[in-house]
Amino acid sequence: MSKGNRPKDSKMRIRAFPMAMDEKYVNDIWKLLRSAIQEIQRKNNSGLSFEELYRNAYTMVLHKHGERLYTGLREVVKEHLVKKVRADILAALHDNFLQVLISSWQDHQTSMVMIRDILMYMDRVYVLQNNVDNTYNLGLILFRDHVIKHPAIRDTLRETLLDMVMRERRGELIDKMALKSACAMLMTLGLESRTVYEEDFERPFLEQSREFYRLESHRFLAENSASTYIQKVEQRLNEEGERAVQCLDESTRSRIVAVLEDELIRCHMTTIVEMENSGLVHMLEHDRFDDLLCMYKLFRAVSDGAKVMMESLSRHLRQLGRELVTEKCSNGSGAVGAGGSGAGGVGSDESMLKSPVSFISELLDLKERFDRFLEKSFLQEATAQ
């Protein structure tokens, strides 16, 4: 075969990017990427080539235009959040507010995931080299600062969530998933911190709950016996714990339980224990093992709670002991006086000899009875012994 007729090389040749890019070329690439980002935000991304977009973003970073790309991204996302997302939410402040907010938040998350995929090379190179927030986190920060932190949206969100909790406490049906989603949003916007969730919801929630249960505790105490009161406290603790898990961020559970323990138990320990005709002594005298067990479990969860119960128990035991001694001494004295001297005196001596056995027997019966309380109502714990 002659040299002139040699077949051409069939291998595809890839033209290398020029090492220097003029400003017009950079602007053209950025305009293409900006348009794509805007289409993603409008949920109109079906016709986009993510592979081509990735290559263009890669080209900008490779040729040292990462800052231009990063700054442009921030401006485009902010503009969309302010002009479209925030405006839509503000328009819904008094009509379907929470649903519009959550829907906007979910759409924003979805769009930022897609944008992150396009700008993956920028995250791996420019972001790391310059110690700035990656694409997805930048989107979270912008949503937090320009949407959630807007005074009208922030206040309406807080009031809406607090009202939902109060209605659920009263037994009304609420959208638990919406409440849970809103709390999850606030946690996510904290970027691995609880700050946003605490400031915008949890702190006012705990303050509202403290006032609510402060008033409820006084009403419960005025209307109920000690047994009924501790049952209501146990019910409220279970309800709030379940609500935190099902509707709020689960980390709130221990915090709201602490508020209830403080307002419903710690502030009223002595009143509950010493309640006439229903307190601890009444429970002991009427063998209310289950009520005592419930009280002990609740009280031992708060500072000095078990101590208050044990002090009352100890006073009651000492009182019973004194009464027993007084009774036996009175019986013995009566026997001596009636017997006089001679044969009667011998009889009284025999009576006096028998009384210690009876006294010890009754003491053992008393100990056995309180051992049962120790086992059934105080969990055999050392503090109760």
Side-chain angles (χ1 to χ4, degrees):
M1 184 180 293
S2 64
K3 183 176 180 180
N5 294 329
R6 182 179 299 168
K8 294 181 179 179
D9 191 347
S10 61
K11 291 183 180 180
M12 182 176 65
R13 300 180 182 275
I14 300 176
R15 182 165 60 91
F17 289 112
M19 293 307 296
M21 295 174 63
D22 59 38
E23 188 65 22
K24 183 179 181 305
Y25 189 34
V26 174
N27 287 335
D28 289 343
I29 292 179
W30 166 240
K31 287 179 182 178
L32 187 149
L33 289 170
R34 181 181 62 191
S35 175
I37 291 171
Q38 291 170 336
E39 290 299 307
I40 290 172
Q41 291 171 328
R42 287 191 286 264
K43 296 189 284 187
N44 189 27
N45 53 284
S46 59
L48 299 178
S49 170
F50 281 78
E51 182 179 354
E52 179 184 352
L53 294 170
Y54 176 87
R55 285 200 308 267
N56 281 299
Y58 171 88
T59 301
M60 287 190 69
V61 176
L62 183 66
H63 291 85
K64 309 303 179 184
H65 294 284
E67 182 177 358
R68 171 74 180 279
L69 180 58
Y70 190 85
T71 302
L73 168 67
R74 183 169 57 228
E75 291 172 352
V76 172
V77 173
K78 176 183 174 181
E79 181 182 22
H80 174 72
L81 289 174
V82 171
K83 293 184 177 180
K84 180 68 171 67
V85 175
R86 191 169 76 187
D88 289 347
I89 297 171
L90 287 172
L93 282 181
H94 306 292
D95 181 26
N96 212 28
F97 166 76
L98 194 58
Q99 285 69 28
V100 172
L101 173 61
I102 292 173
S103 177
S104 299
W105 160 244
Q106 292 170 344
D107 289 345
H108 179 66
Q109 284 182 297
T110 301
S111 67
M112 290 310 303
V113 169
M114 294 181 183
I115 295 168
R116 178 186 63 190
D117 291 344
I118 294 172
L119 305 180
M120 195 178 300
Y121 187 73
M122 182 187 75
D123 280 346
R124 287 205 303 258
V125 178
Y126 176 80
V127 166
L128 291 180
Q129 290 176 350
N130 293 272
N131 194 30
V132 293
D133 294 296
N134 62 41
T135 298
Y136 188 77
N137 285 354
L138 176 64
L140 298 183
I141 293 168
L142 292 172
F143 191 91
R144 178 194 70 196
D145 293 346
H146 298 287
V147 178
I148 294 299
K149 290 299 182 181
H150 185 280
I153 295 174
R154 180 193 60 211
D155 295 346
T156 303
L157 175 60
R158 181 187 299 125
E159 292 167 4
T160 300
L161 299 184
L162 293 178
D163 179 67
M164 291 177 75
V165 171
M166 288 299 292
R167 288 193 287 114
E168 215 269 335
R169 276 183 185 146
R170 293 194 295 264
E172 298 179 30
L173 293 177
I174 64 166
D175 188 344
K176 293 184 178 181
M177 287 302 299
L179 180 55
K180 182 78 171 179
S181 296
C183 291
M185 174 189 69
L186 294 176
M187 284 293 291
T188 301
L189 292 174
L191 299 178
E192 301 182 1
S193 164
R194 302 182 80 255
T195 304
V196 177
Y197 177 73
E198 286 179 353
E199 291 179 353
D200 290 349
F201 172 71
E202 188 183 67
R203 196 173 298 155
F205 162 70
L206 295 177
E207 291 172 357
Q208 181 194 65
S209 300
R210 183 175 295 279
E211 180 61 22
F212 175 83
Y213 284 112
R214 180 182 295 119
L215 296 174
E216 184 170 85
S217 67
H218 290 289
R219 180 168 58 84
F220 277 179
L221 284 170
E223 297 174 355
N224 299 283
S225 66
S227 298
T228 304
Y229 181 82
I230 60 176
Q231 290 169 9
K232 287 181 177 291
V233 170
E234 186 176 41
Q235 179 184 348
R236 281 303 200 185
L237 284 167
N238 291 335
E239 289 173 355
E240 289 294 341
E242 291 176 5
R243 183 177 299 111
V245 173
Q246 295 176 3
C247 304
L248 315 178
D249 184 77
E250 193 168 348
S251 63
T252 300
R253 185 181 186 281
S254 60
R255 293 166 171 82
I256 184 60
V257 166
V259 168
L260 266 68
E261 289 175 343
D262 195 39
E263 293 299 329
L264 299 181
I265 303 173
R266 190 191 62 80
C267 292
H268 306 289
M269 290 188 296
T270 303
T271 301
I272 299 167
V273 167
E274 297 181 356
M275 196 174 286
E276 189 175 358
N277 296 324
S278 68
L280 183 141
V281 171
H282 177 85
M283 294 177 186
L284 291 170
E285 291 175 342
H286 293 82
D287 294 338
R288 304 290 290 271
F289 294 103
D290 291 341
D291 289 342
L292 276 169
L293 177 60
C294 182
M295 181 186 287
Y296 184 68
K297 286 181 177 179
L298 293 176
F299 274 50
R300 69 173 181 166
V302 303
S303 177
D304 292 331
K307 180 182 177 182
V308 170
M309 286 189 69
M310 292 310 106
E311 288 176 348
S312 179
L313 175 63
S314 177
R315 286 194 300 270
H316 182 59
L317 276 173
R318 288 198 299 270
Q319 179 63 28
L320 290 178
R322 282 193 295 268
E323 291 175 358
L324 185 58
V325 170
T326 301
E327 178 187 351
K328 293 304 176 183
C329 289
S330 298
N331 289 341
S333 299
V336 172
S341 59
V346 173
S348 65
D349 290 340
E350 289 177 354
S351 176
M352 287 292 292
L353 287 173
K354 290 179 181 178
S355 64
V357 176
S358 174
F359 176 65
I360 293 173
S361 176
E362 291 190 36
L363 277 180
L364 291 175
D365 288 344
L366 184 61
K367 179 183 182 302
E368 182 181 352
R369 183 161 178 267
F370 278 88
D371 281 345
R372 289 200 303 272
F373 280 110
L374 182 64
E375 177 185 355
K376 295 182 177 182
S377 302
F378 295 96
L379 307 176
Q380 289 281 17
E381 294 187 354
T383 53
Q385 299 183 38

